[in-house]
Amino acid sequence: MPGEVLVMIHHQVRDEAEQAGLREAYHLVSKRLAEVPGMLGNELLQSAVDPTSVVVVSRWADLAAFRVWEEGAGHRGDTAPLRPYRDTRLAVPFGIYEVDAAY
């Protein structure tokens, strides 16, 4: 049976103004995605070690639900406000992980 999927998108902020802009974009995008079928929620994580590193983690019911949304017409427009903050220090600023075990 397919399991829950976590999608992690890495972002970078260089100062407080960018941090505020990213937070605003996160809230806007989150409101847009709140009704997407299969999306269980998301979180904005700030690194405790590197203050320039921020990650958005979204939870999906399964990989199929994520893929339907990702391949849909609204995906790019809905997430556009966050795109300027992508962490260009990383070769691949995102990851898709299926939950294998949890307690």
Side-chain angles (χ1 to χ4, degrees):
M1 179 170 146
E4 188 174 312
V5 168
L6 301 176
V7 178
M8 299 176 190
I9 310 287
H10 296 266
H11 300 283
Q12 178 186 19
V13 292
R14 291 178 285 272
D15 55 36
E16 289 181 22
E18 283 191 0
Q19 178 71 40
L22 180 129
R23 277 194 193 108
E24 183 177 327
Y26 166 77
H27 290 294
L28 176 63
V29 170
S30 295
K31 289 174 186 173
R32 290 177 179 176
L33 300 183
E35 300 301 318
V36 171
M39 183 171 197
L40 304 175
N42 65 65
E43 296 175 305
L44 179 65
L45 308 177
Q46 177 78 46
S47 171
V49 178
D50 176 2
T52 69
S53 181
V54 179
V55 178
V56 173
V57 178
S58 59
R59 292 182 302 109
W60 296 83
D62 53 37
L63 187 57
F66 171 71
R67 291 287 188 212
V68 165
W69 170 76
E70 182 184 42
E71 295 167 5
H75 165 244
R76 294 197 59 77
D78 285 345
T79 59
L82 282 170
R83 211 160 287 115
Y85 301 100
R86 288 275 169 88
D87 193 340
T88 58
R89 299 173 292 186
L90 304 174
V92 180
F94 65 89
I96 302 169
Y97 301 88
E98 290 185 285
V99 175
D100 186 56
Y103 289 88

